[in-house]
Amino acid sequence: MNNKKLEQILEELKAKGEAPSAEVLDMIKNTNVISPALLPKDTPPEIMRRMLQNPGKPQAIPGGIKPQPCILENGNGERFLAVFTSEQEMKKNKNAPAFPLLLNVSFQNCIDLIRQNPEINGAVINPYTQNIILHIAENKPQRETVQVTLEQFHMISRQKFEAYYLPKNLFDKKAEYIERLQKEEGEFLRELYEDVYDTEVACPYIPEDFECLSLNISDDLTLIRINMPFKHLVNGTCSCVLVGWNQKLEQVWYYAILLTEDGKAHLHERKEDGSDLDLGPAPSEGSEMTAVITLIQGAGNEE
């Protein structure tokens, strides 16, 4: 199963906060996806033991067994069928359970299942990363977005900016955006935020909400620390972003101090391929730059 092109498109949609176009929807409908599932409660014990020996692996469905697909529910009580474009996408949430069944099906089959079940509102594609929601309901008006509160909207917009939009643009534009960040600081960050707030909701930040510090570590290596706005700083968002830039190699590093759901702080690294690495508890306050410099220089020595 190779859905790399589709995954790249979904990543771009997530970064821009856009809904899939008709062309993208057609691509999705003609794609094979993975749908995690559970065994029904009345599954014979011997079959259940055999299936549970290899949880999370593609397996043939025994005759007479009707798998129960994984259904996710949002805060509004809407229920969505979880589907993934690859096994790699499933593994991006290390805390997620290992499902005994992975169903390799066409997305059209998923649509048919949703339309036959009035309790399911649609599908969510790659819920651990792009989290693209498609409402699919027979004889019901379709909605493009899930209703959220204003505070939730600000949180989602901030997550989108910190985890996708800002690193993607730095990796893509490299020297151009690094130079603008050093020169314009908060003005530039506020300008970038406007692309995330492309709805009727106004961007709540001003240039003074961002604090930037740029240090020349060596002739080639520069490190920029960005203290993110305190406004709308909640669990799941970043208090600080650290950007490394090697002018000679034209290489960007992107690190962030992320507040976890339990209120703790972890250091994360976002790679140029879009993957995210949780590096564990964040360094003590004031030593973040030193820790990141060590990581960058260590990576350089490994090369």
Side-chain angles (χ1 to χ4, degrees):
M1 181 181 294
N2 186 349
N3 290 326
K4 291 294 184 183
K5 182 178 180 181
L6 175 59
E7 289 169 1
Q8 182 179 357
I9 293 174
L10 296 178
E11 191 74 24
E12 293 172 355
L13 291 175
K14 178 71 175 180
K16 297 176 181 178
E18 296 178 353
S21 64
E23 182 180 356
V24 174
L25 288 175
D26 286 339
M27 179 185 298
I28 295 172
K29 290 178 181 178
N30 294 313
T31 297
N32 278 1
V33 295
I34 295 174
S35 179
L38 298 172
L39 294 169
K41 294 181 180 179
D42 59 356
T43 302
E46 63 275 12
I47 293 180
M48 187 171 291
R49 282 195 297 269
R50 187 171 72 247
M51 301 299 290
L52 290 176
Q53 288 177 353
N54 296 293
K57 300 294 183 182
Q59 301 182 55
I61 301 173
I65 301 299
K66 294 183 178 180
Q68 298 176 341
C70 173
I71 304 297
L72 304 179
E73 185 172 320
N74 67 10
N76 296 326
E78 292 182 306
R79 307 178 79 230
F80 298 93
L81 176 68
V83 299
F84 296 85
T85 53
S86 66
E87 288 187 59
Q88 288 71 27
E89 285 294 326
M90 288 194 63
K91 296 176 181 178
K92 290 185 178 180
N93 184 348
K94 297 179 181 179
N95 297 322
F99 289 88
L101 291 177
L102 299 183
L103 307 178
N104 190 334
V105 296
S106 71
F107 192 79
Q108 185 59 53
N109 287 340
C110 296
I111 294 176
D112 294 339
L113 171 65
I114 294 166
R115 286 176 172 167
Q116 293 168 9
N117 192 327
E119 296 182 355
I120 305 178
N121 299 87
V124 54
I125 304 174
N126 294 340
Y128 303 151
T129 51
Q130 295 94 25
N131 196 40
I132 301 296
I133 292 176
L134 300 178
H135 283 82
I136 304 166
E138 192 71 39
N139 301 323
K140 294 181 182 179
Q142 293 191 10
R143 290 169 290 174
E144 293 185 353
T145 58
V146 177
Q147 294 296 317
V148 297
T149 65
L150 182 59
E151 185 60 33
Q152 288 173 326
F153 181 83
H154 287 309
M155 179 189 72
I156 293 170
S157 298
R158 180 161 178 158
Q159 290 175 328
K160 186 186 306 179
F161 181 83
E162 295 167 346
Y164 296 97
Y165 190 78
L166 179 58
K168 184 178 186 305
N169 276 279
L170 290 171
F171 284 128
D172 288 348
K173 304 295 184 179
K174 298 188 184 299
E176 176 188 350
Y177 271 34
I178 293 293
E179 291 173 6
R180 289 197 62 186
L181 180 58
Q182 289 180 291
K183 182 178 179 180
E184 303 173 39
E185 298 185 339
E187 292 282 354
F188 181 52
L189 292 165
R190 174 60 174 75
E191 178 184 324
L192 289 179
Y193 247 115
E194 284 293 339
D195 291 334
V196 176
Y197 280 86
D198 57 354
T199 66
E200 65 275 8
V201 179
C203 177
Y205 307 117
I206 60 176
E208 289 72 23
D209 289 330
F210 304 89
E211 295 181 8
C212 298
L213 175 64
S214 180
L215 294 178
N216 292 324
I217 309 304
S218 66
D219 291 342
D220 299 318
L221 180 62
T222 298
L223 186 65
I224 305 171
R225 173 182 176 135
I226 307 169
N227 287 336
M228 303 303 285
F230 184 75
K231 190 183 302 180
H232 303 300
L233 176 63
V234 296
N235 292 346
T237 63
C238 299
S239 61
C240 171
V241 166
L242 300 110
V243 180
W245 168 241
N246 186 307
Q247 183 176 0
K248 182 178 180 180
L249 300 177
E250 294 190 344
Q251 183 173 357
V252 173
W253 291 268
Y254 187 91
Y255 294 87
I257 306 296
L258 177 70
L259 302 183
T260 61
E261 293 303 321
D262 56 3
K264 297 179 180 179
H266 272 221
L267 178 64
H268 281 246
E269 180 182 5
R270 174 70 63 168
K271 296 284 192 177
E272 191 164 359
D273 63 5
S275 60
D276 178 87
L277 297 179
D278 185 343
L279 302 178
S284 59
E285 187 174 355
S287 63
E288 299 93 343
M289 295 186 78
T290 300
V292 167
I293 292 169
T294 301
L295 288 170
I296 292 175
Q297 292 177 334
N301 290 333
E302 290 177 1
E303 294 175 0

